[in-house]
Amino acid sequence: MKPTLSHDTVTGCSVHNLRIRRALFILCVAVSALPARAGLWEAVCAVESGGNRLAIGDGGKAAGIAQIHPIMVREANRLAGGRAFFTLEDRLDPVKSKAIFTIYTEHYAKGRSDEVRARIWNGGPNAMKATGKKLANLNAYYAKIKKHLKNE
């Protein structure tokens, strides 16, 4: 009988396998974005950081090309099944940032317009219920996004 190898029988393979699964997951999410969302992604990056993947803002709380807060990383991990796929350092990686953006907007705004997606990205899951100053801020944010959208 021929011996078989598995990840359980080779030292270090379980770690290697986890890294491969994580990389494949991130790649699949990033590649799955539709062209309209790619336009939105580019607009968000332009507005949030001017395209600077190393940008730090909001008093040091937001980081990366999409100015992602720690709570967004935690939420993307929760939405992805509770595993810690993303770290805070991943906010500085544009591919991983796009994956976080895609997971979040696909969950809270699936099938909705770029406007709704942008508002939810900026204002959270309840952004479409905003009133007063928060609504004014979201309106101003989307006006900036619209300037960068290819379709507008």
Side-chain angles (χ1 to χ4, degrees):
M1 184 154 103
K2 191 174 184 181
T4 59
L5 292 177
S6 72
H7 288 289
D8 297 331
T9 60
V10 179
T11 305
C13 276
S14 61
V15 171
H16 181 70
N17 188 31
L18 180 62
R19 286 183 183 152
I20 290 172
R21 284 194 329 240
R22 179 178 181 218
L24 287 173
F25 172 79
I26 291 167
L27 181 61
C28 288
V29 169
V31 170
S32 71
L34 300 173
R37 285 184 220 118
L40 177 59
W41 169 247
E42 294 164 1
V44 165
C45 293
V47 169
E48 293 287 355
S49 70
N52 179 359
R53 70 179 190 84
L54 301 176
I56 304 294
D58 198 16
K61 297 178 204 167
I65 198 165
Q67 290 297 280
I68 299 172
H69 284 78
I71 194 167
M72 300 293 279
V73 174
R74 288 191 302 273
E75 185 66 354
N77 285 332
R78 184 187 73 78
L79 294 171
R83 294 184 188 92
F85 288 111
F86 303 105
T87 66
L88 292 179
E89 291 76 30
D90 290 340
R91 298 177 298 168
L92 302 178
D93 180 323
V95 173
K96 292 176 184 176
S97 292
K98 185 175 182 181
I100 292 168
F101 172 84
T102 302
I103 289 168
Y104 189 85
T105 58
E106 281 293 310
H107 180 79
Y108 289 109
K110 186 173 182 136
R112 312 259 328 251
S113 69
D114 282 347
E115 179 176 358
V116 172
R117 288 175 180 276
R119 288 172 182 269
I120 287 174
W121 177 252
N122 183 257
N126 295 317
M128 299 312 292
K129 298 176 184 174
T131 59
K133 186 174 180 178
K134 185 166 184 171
L135 178 60
N137 289 341
L138 289 170
N139 288 341
Y141 179 77
Y142 187 65
K144 293 176 192 175
I145 293 289
K146 272 179 44 173
K147 290 179 184 176
H148 293 278
L149 286 175
K150 293 176 185 174
N151 301 349
E152 299 293 322

